[in-house]
């Protein structure tokens, strides 16, 4: 009987931890979108001064380890520096796996960043600033969506999985 109670306790505890992990993943996604907006603001400021190349801008962002995107931008800067025969499109495609594997961003956020990076350096400074501002606005809309996901889906999964664990525990009794 004691073993059964211990197993049920472990089951309920694990179900709580799984639900909490899913809930926290929604919170981390929201934070990462906000960090991405900050990074785009840094890029916009650096481009508006016109003193930096894309490689230097990406390198500077890659040094900021407080953002989870630093590996992606550091890889972009390194590839731009070392691979003179590759174009920016190929370099971005080669490094997108970093964003998809190491962040909680969804495809729409990754596509927004990819589109923006591919347009940088192809027009004048004011056009680039407008593109960055447009991307920031799109990401701000996604932050409202992610905030709704936290309150709806995150809390739902947290409670649903907890009740599922309790339900299985009751069945085992």
């Amino acid at each position: 009987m004691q073993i059964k109670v211990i197993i049920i306790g472990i089951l309920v505890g694990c179900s709580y931890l799984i639900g909490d992990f899913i809930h926290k993943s929604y919170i981390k996604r929201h934070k990462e979108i906000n960090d991405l907006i900050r990074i785009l603001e840094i890029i916009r400021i650096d481009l508006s001064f016109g003193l930096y190349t894309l490689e230097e801008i990406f390198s500077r962002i890659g040094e900021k380890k407080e953002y989870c995107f630093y590996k992606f931008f550091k890889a972009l800067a390194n590839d731009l520096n070392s691979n003179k025969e590759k174009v920016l499109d190929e370099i971005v495609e080669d490094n997108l796996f970093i964003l998809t594997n190491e962040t909680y961003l969804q495809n729409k956020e990754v596509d927004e960043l990819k589109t923006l990076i591919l347009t940088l350096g192809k027009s004048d400074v004011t056009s680039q600033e407008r593109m960055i501002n447009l991307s920031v606005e799109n990401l701000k809309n996604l932050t409202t969506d992610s905030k709704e996901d936290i309150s709806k889906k995150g809390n739902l999964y947290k409670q649903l999985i907890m009740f599922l664990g309790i339900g299985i525990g009751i069945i085992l009794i």
Side-chain angles (χ1 to χ4, degrees):
M1 183 66 178
Q2 289 177 346
I3 295 174
K4 198 181 232 187
V5 171
I6 291 172
I7 291 173
I8 292 170
I10 291 172
L11 178 70
V12 170
C14 289
S15 67
Y16 170 78
L17 291 175
I18 291 169
D20 192 52
F21 174 77
I22 293 171
H23 182 260
K24 286 182 180 178
S25 69
Y26 282 103
I27 293 172
K28 288 179 184 176
R29 176 177 170 251
H30 180 72
K31 180 192 176 299
E32 288 176 358
I33 294 172
N34 286 323
D35 286 347
L36 189 57
I37 290 171
R38 287 185 198 96
I39 287 172
L40 293 182
E41 292 293 333
I42 292 169
I43 291 173
R44 184 177 54 77
I45 290 169
D46 286 348
L47 284 174
S48 67
F49 289 122
L51 301 174
Y52 303 106
T53 63
L54 283 179
E55 177 188 335
E56 293 169 334
I57 292 171
F58 294 157
S59 178
R60 288 184 56 198
I61 294 171
E63 293 170 0
K64 298 181 184 290
K65 296 190 188 243
E66 64 267 14
Y67 299 119
C68 62
F69 310 106
Y70 78 94
K71 289 181 184 178
F72 173 72
F73 285 102
K74 189 174 202 117
L76 284 179
N78 290 338
D79 286 351
L80 282 171
N81 186 26
S82 62
N83 294 328
K84 301 295 183 190
E85 67 276 353
K86 280 189 174 181
V87 293
L88 184 61
D89 299 354
E90 295 171 345
I91 292 172
V92 171
E93 284 295 328
D94 290 345
N95 292 306
L96 275 181
F97 74 93
I98 296 171
L99 286 180
T100 56
N101 292 343
E102 296 188 13
T103 65
Y104 291 94
L105 295 179
Q106 293 180 348
N107 288 337
K108 48 190 164 186
E109 292 98 12
V110 172
D111 290 340
E112 184 72 34
L113 180 62
K114 176 185 167 187
T115 304
L116 175 69
I117 289 174
L118 294 179
T119 60
L120 293 176
K122 294 184 179 178
S123 60
D124 62 339
V125 175
T126 55
S127 296
Q128 292 179 64
E129 287 178 358
R130 283 195 305 254
M131 288 298 297
I132 291 173
N133 290 336
L134 179 64
S135 293
V136 166
E137 287 303 316
N138 291 341
L139 288 172
K140 283 182 181 178
N141 292 336
L142 291 173
T143 59
T144 58
D145 293 345
S146 69
K147 198 176 271 190
E148 290 175 11
D149 285 349
I150 291 170
S151 64
K152 291 180 182 174
K153 293 179 185 175
N155 290 334
L156 174 71
Y157 284 128
K158 187 175 184 178
Q159 294 170 357
L160 184 65
I161 292 175
M162 179 67 179
F163 287 128
L164 183 67
I166 292 172
I168 292 173
I170 290 172
I171 291 172
L172 290 176
I173 291 178

